[in-house]
Amino acid sequence: MTEFTPLASLIGGALIGLSAVLLMALEGRIAGISGIASRLLPPIDERFAARLAFIMGLVAAPFAVEAVTGEPVLQTVSSNIPLMIAAGFLVGFGAVLGGGCTSGHGVCGLSRLSVRSFVATLTFMATAFVTVFILRHVIGG
């Protein structure tokens, strides 16, 4: 079961928003994680180091939380490797098809009142709701 953590969620949301604002203010760039990550692949340009630092910050964040709080960040993922691979491909396909990911559309696009991002976010969320319903209540598990 997923725990209700309003304070941690509020702090996390504020940090995500702050990082998106800082990236836009300082670099003039949208904090779309799929776009940033995809541009780490060749050809490498002058923004490579900044993109790598951004992704490394995402990876380092749970370790920083553990260092500050003294408690590990617990995350539960499926141990079903074929399911995880299929899910990864579907998420990647969806990000390409939608012209971005939930961070680019849901955080940055919605804050700029983009209709395109609103439709994309509705699509992402509806797909997530249906997927969770099917996995938990139809297939079971």
Side-chain angles (χ1 to χ4, degrees):
M1 215 49 187
T2 304
E3 293 182 33
F4 180 62
T5 57
L7 182 61
S9 300
L10 178 66
I11 293 169
L15 289 172
I16 290 169
L18 178 64
S19 69
V21 167
L22 287 174
L23 190 61
M24 177 60 85
L26 299 175
E27 299 288 329
R29 307 247 184 239
I30 298 292
I33 307 306
S34 63
I36 292 170
S38 70
R39 288 181 189 90
L40 288 175
L41 301 172
I44 294 183
D45 62 10
E46 69 280 351
R47 303 293 312 139
F48 178 82
R51 289 186 194 105
L52 184 60
F54 190 88
I55 299 298
M56 287 174 57
L58 293 175
V59 173
F63 300 106
V65 169
E66 183 175 356
V68 170
T69 65
E71 295 184 26
V73 175
L74 301 176
Q75 183 169 336
T76 304
V77 295
S78 175
S79 59
N80 184 335
I81 301 301
L83 177 67
M84 296 296 285
I85 291 170
F89 278 114
L90 288 172
V91 168
F93 177 75
V96 170
L97 184 66
C101 58
T102 52
S103 58
H105 285 299
V107 175
C108 301
L110 290 180
S111 66
R112 293 181 300 113
L113 303 177
S114 166
V115 174
R116 179 174 170 256
S117 290
F118 180 74
V119 171
T121 302
L122 282 179
T123 303
F124 296 154
M125 297 306 293
T127 302
F129 295 155
V130 169
T131 301
V132 169
F133 179 81
I134 290 170
L135 288 176
R136 289 193 178 173
H137 302 290
V138 176
I139 296 173

